[in-house]
């Protein structure tokens, strides 16, 4: 939970300082880390405030909300990351506004980004394979044993640039241990494509552990934006 008396600028500064501290403790440079501020359910006006404070990367979980915000804020030149579960039938629409899809979790979604007769030369997006680090098949992400096959499928599309892997730490496990497993999976993916070096891991409560295990992208919401409004 965030303190309602603190300002957006204060919360953003606090997280940036925390990231710098975590990077220092891990012997890394904070310049190598990308902060993606997740703005689910928050209005476009808040995203505009974030941009004025120097935020360049924004994450969204819901297609309709992301599409509307990206259109309204097109003048800001932000990099939009889609971080929620994406329906295959919405993939081509998402390509119109998203620059990065961090939630490639099944073959049908990957295949939906392939060229079509109507769109033979689509814009190339950056993509992350989402990994399920739990034993619950209902959670988002592909099982660790299936990551290599899905990564190869991403590489074969020609319309997705494989950046690396993404995951959410399980609620019932030490996040550092979970992110260590993700780091090992990342090393496997790099054997398929040496350029796929990125790891998207770490949210408001566990970004320091993610930095310690090599995360390059941190998806942080409430610690910066404040408590999330009710779903519209």
């Amino acid at each position: 939970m965030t303190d309602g008396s603190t300002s957006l600028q204060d919360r953003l500064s606090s997280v940036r300082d925390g990231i710098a501290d975590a990077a220092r403790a891990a012997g890394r440079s904070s310049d190598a880390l990308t902060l993606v501020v997740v703005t689910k359910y928050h209005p476009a006006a808040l995203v505009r405030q974030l941009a004025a404070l120097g935020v360049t990367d924004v994450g969204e979980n819901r297609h309709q909300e992301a599409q509307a915000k990206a259109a309204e804020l097109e003048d800001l030149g932000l990099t939009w990351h889609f971080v929620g579960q994406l329906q295959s039938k919405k993939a081509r629409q998402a390509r119109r506004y998203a620059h990065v899809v961090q939630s490639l979790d099944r073959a049908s979604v990957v295949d939906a980004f392939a060229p079509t007769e109507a769109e033979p030369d689509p814009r190339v997006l950056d993509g992350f394979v989402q990994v399920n680090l739990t034993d619950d098949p209902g959670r988002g992400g592909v099982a660790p044993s299936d990551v290599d096959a899905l990564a190869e499928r991403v590489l074969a599309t020609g319309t997705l640039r494989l950046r690396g892997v993404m995951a959410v730490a399980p609620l019932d496990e030490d996040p550092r241990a979970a992110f260590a497993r993700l780091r090992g999976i990342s090393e496997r993916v790099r054997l398929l494509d040496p350029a796929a070096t990125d790891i998207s891991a770490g949210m408001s409560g566990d970004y320091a552990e993610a930095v310690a295990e090599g995360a390059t992208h941190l998806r942080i919401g409430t610690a910066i934006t404040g408590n999330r409004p009710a779903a519209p």
Side-chain angles (χ1 to χ4, degrees), residues 151-172:
E152 288 176 338
R153 202 175 190 107
V154 172
L155 291 169
T157 63
T159 56
L160 290 167
R161 184 186 299 107
L162 182 61
R163 291 286 299 274
V165 294
M166 179 271 252
V168 177
L171 295 175
D172 59 352

Side-chain angles (χ1 to χ4, degrees), residues 125-197:
L125 303 184
D126 288 343
F128 289 72
V129 171
Q130 182 177 355
V131 184
N132 183 356
L133 295 177
T134 76
D135 294 325
D136 179 2
R139 291 288 298 269
V142 63
S145 59
D146 296 329
V147 167
D148 300 62
L150 192 63
E152 288 176 338
R153 202 175 190 107
V154 172
L155 291 169
T157 63
T159 56
L160 290 167
R161 184 186 299 107
L162 182 61
R163 291 286 299 274
V165 294
M166 179 271 252
V168 177
L171 295 175
D172 59 352
E173 182 183 357
D174 170 38
R176 179 83 187 257
F179 294 144
R181 296 208 312 281
L182 184 64
R183 186 175 200 164
I185 294 167
S186 168
E187 290 168 0
R188 275 173 28 207
V189 170
R190 287 204 299 272
L191 294 176
L192 300 173
D193 180 3
T197 58

Side-chain angles (χ1 to χ4, degrees), residues 6 16 19 21 29 48 57 68 88 99 105 109 119 131 134 142 144 146 156 170 176 179 195 199 201 207 228:
T6 59
R16 283 174 166 160
I19 291 170
D21 289 344
S29 168
R48 194 171 285 281
D57 292 73
S88 302
H99 302 91
D105 63 352
V109 170
E119 202 173 7
V131 184
T134 76
V142 63
D146 296 329
R176 179 83 187 257
F179 294 144
I199 300 174
Y207 67 80
R228 187 175 291 154

Side-chain angles (χ1 to χ4, degrees), residues 47-165:
V47 181
R48 194 171 285 281
Q49 287 179 270
L50 288 166
L53 294 170
V55 169
T56 57
D57 292 73
V58 176
E60 287 290 336
N61 297 68
R62 298 164 73 247
H63 165 64
Q64 285 182 300
E65 183 181 353
Q67 183 173 244
K69 283 185 193 173
E72 183 175 344
L73 302 170
E74 190 175 5
D75 60 297
L76 297 178
L78 296 168
T79 297
W80 291 91
H81 297 247
F82 194 86
V83 299
Q85 190 168 50
L86 184 62
Q87 295 178 345
S88 302
K89 62 184 179 181
K90 300 292 187 183
R92 292 190 182 91
Q93 295 177 47
R95 184 161 57 205
R96 295 173 192 153
Y97 62 83
H99 302 91
V100 187
V101 176
Q102 293 206 16
S103 49
L104 300 172
D105 63 352
R106 58 199 188 281
S108 60
V109 170
V110 172
D111 293 348
F113 285 99
T116 63
E117 189 173 325
E119 202 173 7
D121 190 24
R123 184 165 65 96
V124 175
L125 303 184
D126 288 343
F128 289 72
V129 171
Q130 182 177 355
V131 184
N132 183 356
L133 295 177
T134 76
D135 294 325
D136 179 2
R139 291 288 298 269
V142 63
S145 59
D146 296 329
V147 167
D148 300 62
L150 192 63
E152 288 176 338
R153 202 175 190 107
V154 172
L155 291 169
T157 63
T159 56
L160 290 167
R161 184 186 299 107
L162 182 61
R163 291 286 299 274
V165 294

